[in-house]
Amino acid sequence: MTDQLSRAFAALADPTRRDLVARLAADGDATPGELGAPYAMSLQAVSKHLKVLEEAGLVTRSQEGRRRPAHLEAGVFDLMTKWIERYRREAEERYGRLDAVLETLTGSDRERDVS
């Protein structure tokens, strides 16, 4: 997986990483210690999850003295949203065509019932 979209989806396949992203989105920048507080996992485990998110481009880390807060990068989510939206539109078009075919078939059945 070399493209950014694949890395982002792979990183978000893990429920813990999805929760970390959700918390960063809701609460803003946070350190690994702050992010790991609600979990029964080591700081090292939280850092590994953050590293995966960082490699996928979903998170960046900065140095503020001794703190290394994680920051959510919204641009990658825009890329993911555009990709998902494209396939959602295509699916809706297919369902629209299917609805039209089913309506035609249902209309034919009604005409036979009247005769």
Side-chain angles (χ1 to χ4, degrees):
M1 286 187 299
T2 57
D3 68 287
Q4 188 171 25
L5 192 59
S6 295
R7 287 191 310 267
F9 279 118
L12 293 174
D14 182 275
T16 301
R17 288 193 286 270
R18 286 194 306 271
D19 188 56
L20 292 174
V21 165
R23 291 183 48 226
L24 286 169
D27 301 333
D29 296 1
T31 64
E34 293 164 343
L35 288 169
Y39 304 107
M41 72 171 74
S42 68
L43 187 59
Q44 183 180 4
V46 174
S47 292
K48 284 183 179 182
H49 281 297
L50 286 173
K51 183 171 176 62
V52 172
L53 293 170
E54 198 172 0
E55 289 172 352
L58 297 167
V59 167
T60 56
R61 309 265 310 265
S62 62
Q63 184 80 36
E64 297 174 2
R66 295 183 64 197
R67 291 174 35 102
R68 293 233 22 219
H71 173 78
L72 192 60
E73 293 297 330
V76 178
F77 291 100
D78 291 339
L79 175 68
M80 296 172 76
T81 301
K82 287 177 186 175
W83 185 86
I84 291 168
E85 184 63 24
R86 174 180 152 207
Y87 289 101
R88 185 193 62 76
R89 278 192 313 273
E90 288 179 13
E92 282 182 356
E93 289 171 7
R94 278 190 234 113
Y95 285 127
R97 289 191 303 270
L98 178 60
D99 285 343
V101 168
L102 292 175
E103 183 60 36
T104 303
L105 294 174
T106 305
S108 297
D109 290 344
R110 280 191 222 135
E111 289 174 9
R112 272 189 266 137
D113 290 342
V114 173
S115 302

